[in-house]
Amino acid sequence: MKSKDTLKHAGKRKQLVDILVGKGIKDTSVLEAINTIPRHLFMDSSFDDHAYQDKAFPIGADQTISQPYTVAFQSELLQVERGDKVLEIGTGSGYQTAVLCELGCKVYSIERQQELFKKTKLFLPKLGYRPKHLSFGDGYKGLEEFAPYKGIIVTAGAPYVPKPLLAQLEIGGRLVIPVGNDPQIMTLFIRKSDTKFEKHEFGEFRFVPLLENKN
């Protein structure tokens, strides 16, 4: 059984939040989510000490649990409100999923690694996080049947922006995606109309690649 959440962990989370504030994260609801979620439970228990450092960490299946700053940065860019429908590409460990749940989003998430998908699907409800829908599949295609989405967040590097993701955004919706090979440029697309998108770039980040048709 995984270790529990202790006062020591809570203290470390508080320190992590202070680091994120120091790095420029301002959204109080995002900071509150990071302060609440027991990130150490999303990692192998032998790595407890690393859980609240601002670093990415391997979680198996050649995947990583993103750096807390990256999770906070992407979550802040989404500008979601309670009740918003959000699509997450790359469920991974479920940590970003949990952040979106804490923010009150209706979360739809896709994972292409079967072992991770199965593990996370069982694990999230144990912590009390209940995404609307978790699916195993190709993130490049999005999830057409539940579209449109207020926000779409991609948690892996994409060499290009998948067209279906832009198509599945509602007007006024935001797509946050790291674009490029290595490093990626964090990119925000805001849908202005059926055909118009506004694009903003936010500097370099490093992600594991988003792979296509790898199921």
Side-chain angles (χ1 to χ4, degrees), residues 87-90 110-112 136-143 152 154 162 164-165 168 210-213 215:
L87 174 63
E88 176 189 33
I89 310 299
I110 309 176
E111 175 52 55
R112 62 175 183 81
F136 170 64
D138 181 357
Y140 273 75
K141 299 189 175 92
L143 270 183
I152 300 178
V154 179
L165 300 187
Q168 289 169 33
L210 178 66
L211 299 179
E212 199 169 3
N213 299 326
N215 296 329

Side-chain angles (χ1 to χ4, degrees), residues 175-195:
L175 165 64
V176 176
I177 180 169
V179 183
N181 291 317
D182 184 33
Q184 291 84 23
I185 302 295
M186 189 66 75
T187 311
L188 165 68
F189 291 91
I190 304 171
R191 186 164 204 174
K192 291 297 189 182
S193 69
D194 279 348
T195 53

Side-chain angles (χ1 to χ4, degrees), residues 2-68:
K2 296 230 179 196
S3 58
K4 51 191 191 308
D5 193 28
T6 65
L7 278 171
K8 185 179 135 205
H9 292 124
K12 286 187 170 177
R13 277 201 291 283
K14 177 77 184 70
Q15 289 173 334
L16 175 60
V17 165
D18 291 342
I19 290 169
L20 298 182
V21 169
K23 288 186 171 184
I25 301 296
K26 294 182 181 67
D27 189 320
T28 48
S29 51
V30 170
L31 293 166
E32 190 49 48
I34 304 254
N35 199 32
T36 304
I37 300 165
R39 187 172 186 258
H40 62 285
L41 298 183
F42 290 82
M43 294 160 64
D44 191 315
S45 56
S46 53
F47 299 123
D48 231 19
D49 287 351
H50 298 273
Y52 298 109
Q53 294 173 8
D54 190 24
K55 293 193 174 103
F57 215 76
I59 52 167
D62 290 332
Q63 301 296 299
T64 55
I65 179 169
S66 288
Q67 181 182 355

Side-chain angles (χ1 to χ4, degrees), residues 65-127:
I65 179 169
S66 288
Q67 181 182 355
Y69 173 71
T70 304
V71 171
F73 192 88
Q74 286 194 279
S75 302
E76 187 170 75
L77 276 186
L78 268 185
Q79 292 188 7
V80 286
E81 291 173 9
R82 291 203 164 271
D84 283 352
K85 198 182 345 172
V86 175
L87 174 63
E88 176 189 33
I89 310 299
T91 318
S93 69
Y95 181 69
Q96 174 74 70
T97 320
V99 169
L100 294 168
C101 289
E102 278 288 343
L103 292 171
C105 299
K106 295 177 179 141
V107 187
Y108 297 78
S109 189
I110 309 176
E111 175 52 55
R112 62 175 183 81
Q113 296 272 7
Q114 189 126 33
E115 58 179 294
L116 268 181
F117 167 70
K118 286 179 174 163
K119 191 170 149 190
T120 303
K121 195 178 171 92
L122 290 172
F123 174 63
L124 282 169
K126 287 182 184 160
L127 293 186

